Amino acid sequence: MNQKPPEPGRDARASEPPTSPKPHKRGLNLELPALLAGLVLGAAAALYWADSTSNEQAQAQTRQDQTELLARRAELAQLHAQLDALTGQLVMEESTRKGLEATLQASQTELGRARDQLAFFDQLLPPGPKGAIGIRALDIVQLGPTLQYKVLLMRNVQDDKPFVGFMQFVAHGVQKGKPVKIVLQPALVPGSSAASAAEQVKGVDLNFDQFQHGGGLLSIPEGFTPQAITLNIFEGSTLRVSRTVNLPAAE
């Protein structure tokens, strides 16, 4: 019996044992996208957490910076206030210093004039012996019910002790048709009392070293017409020097 030879290729395929299908290949294709999605979600979550943590830290740092900024502003305001106070104090001290300088300058100018006058009077009237006191100038004029006087006293200094005494003004004139002599008293200023004048019955106090320049007003008693005024300088109860000035006749 003749048998046909097997067809090439067909029989070979028929003779090959059947291969089993690969069931895991499709499952792998499904797991890979899920894995990638998980990685993406994890990365996103990590980024979100990191970003959230970073935001909280940034907010905390911002709050801290704002607190420090407010504190620095408060310190700056306090420093500005201290600077303003020191500036005001400096301006006040500068004004006070200028005022004192002006006063000192005026005092020095006045002292210079007094020294010039002293030198002038020294040339006119040479000083007396040591310790002697002299009336270098005396001017008296009548002003209504008062007499205004100006006087310059000088002393040839003997030691460091000042001259202590008083001036007494004696008026020579007429009262009720008779010649009289009256010790004049300083005129009362508004607001003073008779007691203050009574305290100066003896005269005007003196206390100076080398020279004394002064002036004032003397009261003229009612009904009295002064004709001459004598200035007496006393040291204690001792009369040191006198000078008389005649007054012009009343018009």
Side-chain angles (χ1 to χ4, degrees):
M1 178 176 173
N2 294 330
Q3 296 180 349
K4 295 181 179 181
E7 296 179 1
R10 181 179 179 181
D11 293 337
R13 287 191 301 269
S15 61
E16 292 179 356
T19 58
S20 60
K22 299 178 180 180
H24 64 281
K25 184 176 183 180
R26 184 175 180 181
L28 181 60
N29 292 335
L30 295 176
E31 292 175 358
L32 183 58
L35 179 60
L36 292 175
L39 292 175
V40 171
L41 291 175
L47 289 175
Y48 176 79
W49 180 84
D51 184 64
S52 177
T53 303
S54 177
N55 288 338
E56 291 179 357
Q57 293 177 351
Q59 291 177 359
Q61 184 65 36
T62 300
R63 289 192 295 269
Q64 182 178 357
D65 292 343
Q66 290 178 347
T67 302
E68 292 180 357
L69 178 60
L70 292 176
R72 297 297 178 269
R73 286 179 177 175
E75 292 178 359
L76 183 60
Q78 184 177 2
L79 291 176
H80 276 300
Q82 293 177 355
L83 178 60
D84 292 341
L86 291 176
T87 302
Q89 183 178 0
L90 180 61
V91 171
M92 184 178 297
E93 291 177 353
E94 182 70 14
S95 177
T96 303
R97 182 183 64 82
K98 290 183 178 179
L100 293 175
E101 288 179 353
T103 302
L104 178 61
Q105 183 65 31
S107 300
Q108 290 176 343
T109 302
E110 183 66 24
L111 180 60
R113 285 198 296 264
R115 288 174 176 172
D116 293 340
Q117 292 177 356
L118 179 62
F120 174 74
F121 285 115
D122 278 341
Q123 293 177 358
L124 293 179
L125 298 172
K130 292 292 185 179
I133 185 171
I135 302 173
R136 294 302 181 91
L138 177 60
D139 182 34
I140 301 177
V141 294
Q142 184 171 352
L143 298 176
T146 62
L147 294 173
Q148 183 184 51
Y149 71 90
K150 296 179 182 179
V151 62
L152 174 64
L153 305 177
M154 295 188 63
R155 174 172 173 256
N156 193 0
V157 181
Q158 182 178 12
D159 48 37
D160 295 334
K161 295 181 180 180
F163 175 82
V164 179
F166 62 92
M167 294 188 298
Q168 182 189 71
F169 293 90
V170 180
H172 305 267
V174 177
Q175 188 175 34
K176 296 181 180 181
K178 297 181 180 180
V180 294
K181 183 173 65 174
I182 299 175
V183 176
L184 300 178
Q185 301 300 324
L188 293 177
V189 297
S192 62
S193 61
S196 61
E199 293 174 357
Q200 299 182 4
V201 170
K202 69 178 183 179
V204 181
D205 290 335
L206 293 174
N207 189 331
F208 66 97
D209 293 323
Q210 189 172 1
F211 66 93
Q212 173 76 49
H213 179 271
L217 295 176
L218 302 170
S219 295
I220 300 176
E222 186 176 356
F224 175 73
T225 302
Q227 296 174 337
I229 306 297
T230 298
L231 171 61
N232 298 320
I233 305 298
F234 285 89
E235 185 178 15
S237 58
T238 304
L239 178 62
R240 293 301 183 186
V241 65
S242 295
R243 178 180 288 192
T244 300
V245 174
N246 293 322
L247 298 177
E251 297 179 357

